[in-house]
Amino acid sequence: MKQTISKHPRTHFSIWYMLAAFFIMFLLQTRMGPPRSENIPYSQFKEALRNGRIREVRVGPQLIIGRYKSRQQAPDEAKAFKTVRVNDPDLVKQLEAQGVKFSGQYQSPLLRGILGWVFPLLLLFAVWGFVFKRIGPGAGVMSFGKSGAKLYAQDKLGVTFDDVAGEDEAKEELREIIEFLKTPGRFQALGGRIPRGVLLVGPPGTGKTLLARAVAGETGVPFFSMSGSDFVEMFVGVGAARVRDLFSQAQQKAPCIVFIDELDALGKARSVGPTTGHDEREQTLNQLLAEMDGFDPKKGVVIMAATNRPEILDPALLRPGRFDRHVLVDRPDLMGREAILRIHTKKLKLGKDVDLRTVAARTPGMVGADLANVANEAALLAARKNKQSVGMEDFEEAIDRSVAGLEKRKRVMSRKEKERVAYHELGHAVMAESLSHADPVHKVSIIPRGIAALGHTEQLPTEERFLMTRSELVDRIGVLLGGRAAEEIIFGEISTGAQNDLEKATDIARRMITEYGMSDRQGPVTFEKERRPLFLEIGYSPPKEYSEETAREIDEEVKGLIKASYEDTKSILTEKRTVLHRISRILQEKEVLEGDELRNLLKEKKIKRTGKKTEPGKSKAGKIDQ
């Protein structure tokens, strides 16, 4: 079913319209009004008349307007003048006696008022109406209650499920909505009821909005799109009016899909306190709840919404009968990332050496928006180098740029600093290749990137991981501490470059003790509740719910775990000190070592660790900071 949506032309308001109107009014006033002249008393006029200085006059019912005679010795006197007319019976005789050219003037007061004021006002209103007609019906002062939702027809969307990859489970959940909108009778014949609201939940950039547009594109129904923040205004009651208007438009276009993006801006849980609420937002939310209960589901209006903060939504929104179907749009796995890359590289001229599987393996944790950016960056890099196609080297550089930042080859480091960075990064790399549970090294670089990264070591996961054992976590700590340990072994002192590594290692150790129950001393106990936002990676420290004595024991155990891992790391790198020296000289010369090249230089078997060492470098293992 294809519908054509007629839309009013909308043009941005221009100040030139108003300026043109005022200019026309100025011209009318100038042309219709009397000429610019000097106001003089009637006695002065009579004196000038007796002295023969008047050239011509126009006698009106109230004013006498005239001009002086021009004289070479006083050219400024050849100017206009006007004076108030008084009852002077001898005026005409005096004018004739002096040879002054004179005439009479008469104008109806009604006509003068029409030409002087009514016509300019009508012109002003005409220009004003023209301006608002061009802007559109929803931009007037009296139209705050209009929803302002963007309405798309099927031919305007151009998005189907073929354009969405990496979210197969979410697409399967939404196919039921598509079938209902296409053939509602099949569900109604059995007495079934389609979910009124579908809430798409997931991290930013995973394609929630794209999925909603794809559902509309698959069904061919109109698609109303609006952000949650568009409802709330500074005036109380405007948001509720916009909600009513949106649902009214949706009922008229049914069957259709109403999509509210960033629902958390509108549907945040209502506060209990009398002074902490937000009246406008709460009224808007209440109106949304009422509208979702009130509209007829048989008409085929489906409400879809997206958010990355479901934990702060009001419970009334999530109950059955409103947003009762929750669809998780999660970060894609390895196969999903590969499928997404294939979509984003359709229009790119790829070289024969490009392996999208390897690119997908190098981008764990990235969402669709990140992968689209990587593909675009690779194309820009290839174009900058005047290449005929996008090669694997360009994708590698694009990933490095997205993960570690822009390459800073012009940042000059001293020889000693470059040597220290090389040993630091090799400490990470050698530990990753020495521990049996660590992911293999993909690349070691000492080229400065981003704001503060002087080098970085990347590890390539061999498989998708969803769980981690104690041994793997301890090995991760060992890889992170490798840079600091290498500096201490080679130079006899440490630098500030390990600050980021220590922060990550300490966080892993503390989580092992307080959250994962991996403490021999505390036992299988968790001390912290998971209260972090589900999909937003922001720092949050929940309040402690244990005693000071327990906190002291946790601190001691975290320190002990870090210290034991650091000693083991120093022991392994001390044994490989000769190898570190040899590879460091090569790294300082080449600045970048690939994983296979590093393994050929090591030519040693991995050390088998038991129980307390192991960690997969899920992305990059530690980058040295300034």
Side-chain angles (χ1 to χ4, degrees):
M1 179 176 63
K2 183 180 292 188
Q3 297 188 15
T4 302
I5 309 299
S6 62
K7 300 184 71 176
H8 294 278
R10 299 181 67 86
T11 306
H12 291 292
F13 174 74
S14 176
I15 193 62
W16 295 109
Y17 295 138
M18 299 300 299
L19 293 178
F22 283 118
F23 180 70
I24 294 174
M25 290 181 60
F26 173 76
L27 289 179
L28 290 174
Q29 291 284 352
T30 303
R31 295 295 183 186
M32 294 181 181
R36 297 182 62 182
S37 55
E38 177 187 8
N39 287 316
I40 62 174
Y42 189 76
S43 59
Q44 184 178 341
F45 162 68
K46 294 285 287 186
E47 181 182 358
L49 180 60
R50 288 192 297 268
N51 295 332
R53 294 167 51 198
I54 305 300
R55 185 177 68 184
E56 61 179 353
V57 295
R58 187 168 69 247
V59 182
Q62 296 178 345
L63 293 177
I64 297 176
I65 302 171
R67 285 188 175 276
Y68 293 109
K69 289 181 179 179
S70 60
R71 296 184 299 174
Q72 293 182 353
Q73 61 271 25
D76 60 327
E77 290 186 355
K79 58 185 179 181
F81 67 88
K82 64 181 178 180
T83 183
V84 178
R85 181 182 176 182
V86 298
N87 189 11
D88 188 355
D90 299 330
L91 178 61
V92 175
K93 295 180 180 180
Q94 294 176 2
L95 291 174
E96 290 178 344
Q98 295 293 337
V100 178
K101 182 180 178 181
F102 64 93
S103 61
Q105 180 183 8
Y106 174 79
Q107 186 176 13
S108 171
L110 177 62
L111 179 61
R112 183 176 181 84
I114 292 175
L115 295 178
W117 291 102
V118 177
F119 181 74
L121 285 176
L122 291 176
L123 179 63
L124 178 62
F125 281 117
V127 173
W128 189 271
F130 172 75
V131 168
F132 277 96
K133 184 178 179 181
R134 295 295 301 273
I135 293 177
V141 178
M142 303 303 294
S143 59
F144 278 120
K146 298 294 182 181
S147 68
K150 296 180 180 178
L151 179 58
Y152 301 90
Q154 182 189 12
D155 54 352
K156 298 287 185 65
L157 287 170
V159 180
T160 64
F161 275 172
D162 294 336
D163 302 307
V164 182
E167 300 294 344
D168 296 335
E169 295 82 1
K171 288 195 289 187
E172 288 299 323
E173 285 285 328
L174 295 174
R175 288 191 191 278
E176 186 176 324
I177 307 296
I178 297 173
E179 292 298 325
F180 172 76
L181 291 173
K182 284 184 175 180
T183 57
R186 185 162 64 91
F187 291 85
Q188 295 170 1
L190 300 175
R193 179 182 63 83
I194 199 70
R196 291 190 179 185
V198 180
L199 182 61
L200 303 177
V201 180
T206 50
K208 299 183 289 296
T209 304
L210 183 65
L211 264 175
R213 294 168 67 95
V215 172
E218 288 284 341
T219 55
V221 299
F223 180 77
F224 289 87
S225 177
M226 193 170 181
S227 174
S229 60
D230 292 338
F231 289 98
V232 183
E233 288 283 355
M234 63 180 293
F235 303 106
V236 176
V238 172
R242 289 180 176 177
V243 172
R244 288 192 295 268
D245 182 70
L246 174 62
F247 278 82
S248 175
Q249 293 183 49
Q251 297 271 11
Q252 297 172 7
K253 298 293 183 181
C256 65
I257 293 176
V258 176
F259 178 66
I260 303 175
D261 202 4
E262 304 297 342
L263 181 64
D264 49 274
L266 169 65
K268 190 179 298 183
R270 290 164 289 187
S271 58
V272 180
T275 60
T276 57
H278 190 296
D279 289 342
E280 166 63 358
R281 184 179 57 78
E282 291 190 3
Q283 286 189 22
T284 306
L285 175 57
N286 290 336
Q287 186 64 42
L288 176 63
L289 298 175
E291 291 290 340
M292 292 189 69
D293 278 341
F295 75 89
D296 187 2
K298 294 181 181 180
K299 288 189 175 182
V301 178
V302 176
I303 312 299
M304 300 185 69
T307 182
N308 50 32
R309 304 182 67 187
E311 71 280 354
I312 69 171
L313 294 179
D314 195 284
L317 271 176
L318 306 179
R319 73 157 176 82
R322 288 173 181 153
F323 286 107
D324 45 10
R325 176 68 61 88
H326 300 168
V327 177
L328 176 62
V329 187
D330 206 353
R331 299 179 185 274
D333 56 12
L334 178 62
M335 296 179 62
R337 293 195 299 273
E338 184 179 359
I340 293 173
L341 284 169
R342 293 193 184 282
I343 289 179
H344 290 303
T345 56
K346 278 183 179 179
K347 297 181 180 180
L348 301 183
K349 296 181 179 179
L350 300 180
K352 296 182 179 179
D353 61 333
V354 174
D355 184 2
L356 294 181
R357 182 81 173 185
T358 303
V359 177
R362 279 207 60 196
T363 53
M366 285 193 179
V367 296
D370 300 325
L371 296 172
N373 182 59
V374 167
N376 185 62
E377 284 288 343
L380 294 179
L381 288 170
R384 196 176 302 159
K385 299 174 184 177
N386 296 322
K387 290 186 176 181
Q388 299 300 319
S389 61
V390 184
M392 191 65 182
E393 179 185 356
D394 302 312
F395 277 98
E396 295 276 352
E397 176 63 23
I399 295 173
D400 291 342
R401 188 169 184 172
S402 299
V403 173
L406 184 64
E407 192 175 85
K408 303 285 186 180
R409 286 190 174 271
K410 293 185 178 181
R411 181 182 293 176
V412 180
M413 288 192 298
S414 64
R415 185 185 61 81
K416 291 184 178 180
E417 197 171 51
K418 188 175 182 179
E419 182 182 14
R420 181 178 288 274
V421 173
Y423 278 107
H424 181 103
E425 296 304 329
L426 282 176
H428 293 308
V430 171
M431 287 300 300
E433 290 297 322
S434 300
L435 300 176
S436 56
H437 292 88
D439 287 333
V441 175
H442 179 73
K443 180 187 293 185
V444 184
S445 172
I446 59 172
I447 298 174
R449 286 184 175 274
I451 298 175
L454 300 179
H456 66 281
T457 301
E458 296 180 22
Q459 293 172 257
L460 187 64
T462 55
E463 59 185 5
E464 289 290 317
R465 300 297 306 275
F466 301 99
L467 296 174
M468 297 185 71
T469 64
R470 187 182 192 280
S471 299
E472 291 168 343
L473 289 172
V474 175
D475 270 3
R476 164 169 277 191
I477 295 175
V479 174
L480 289 169
L481 296 176
R484 176 188 170 100
E487 289 187 50
E488 184 176 350
I489 292 171
I490 302 300
F491 301 102
E493 61 178 351
I494 56 178
S495 70
T496 60
Q499 184 268 337
N500 184 257
D501 301 328
L502 296 177
E503 181 180 348
K504 293 179 180 179
T506 305
D507 182 66
I508 293 174
R510 184 166 294 277
R511 288 195 176 193
M512 289 174 63
I513 305 302
T514 60
E515 297 182 22
Y516 307 145
M518 296 181 178
S519 168
D520 296 333
R521 186 174 178 180
Q522 302 294 337
V525 179
T526 180
F527 295 98
E528 295 183 1
K529 296 179 181 179
E530 186 64 31
R531 298 181 183 176
R532 299 179 179 86
L534 294 182
F535 302 111
L536 296 181
E537 298 178 356
I538 60 176
Y540 176 77
S541 299
K544 296 180 179 180
E545 296 184 356
Y546 44 86
S547 66
E548 291 297 329
E549 178 64 23
T550 302
R552 185 182 61 80
E553 292 177 358
I554 291 174
D555 290 340
E556 291 178 354
E557 197 155 5
V558 170
K559 292 178 183 177
L561 182 58
I562 295 288
K563 185 175 181 180
S565 182
Y566 188 66
E567 293 299 327
D568 287 347
T569 300
K570 286 179 61 178
S571 175
I572 294 173
L573 293 179
T574 302
E575 294 176 5
K576 299 180 178 292
R577 184 167 184 160
T578 304
V579 179
L580 281 174
H581 286 308
R582 178 164 52 89
I583 302 178
S584 174
R585 289 192 293 269
I586 299 174
L587 180 59
Q588 292 177 57
E589 180 181 350
K590 299 182 67 174
E591 293 187 333
V592 177
L593 282 179
E594 298 295 333
D596 293 336
E597 190 176 2
L598 174 68
R599 282 181 281 277
N600 290 333
L601 292 172
L602 286 172
K603 291 183 180 178
E604 291 185 16
K605 295 182 180 179
K606 286 190 174 184
I607 299 175
K608 298 293 181 182
R609 309 293 298 171
T610 58
K612 290 193 177 182
K613 281 258 157 319
T614 330
E615 177 258 6
K618 232 176 154 184
S619 54
K620 38 180 192 50
K623 58 183 180 182
I624 186 169
D625 300 329
Q626 285 179 328

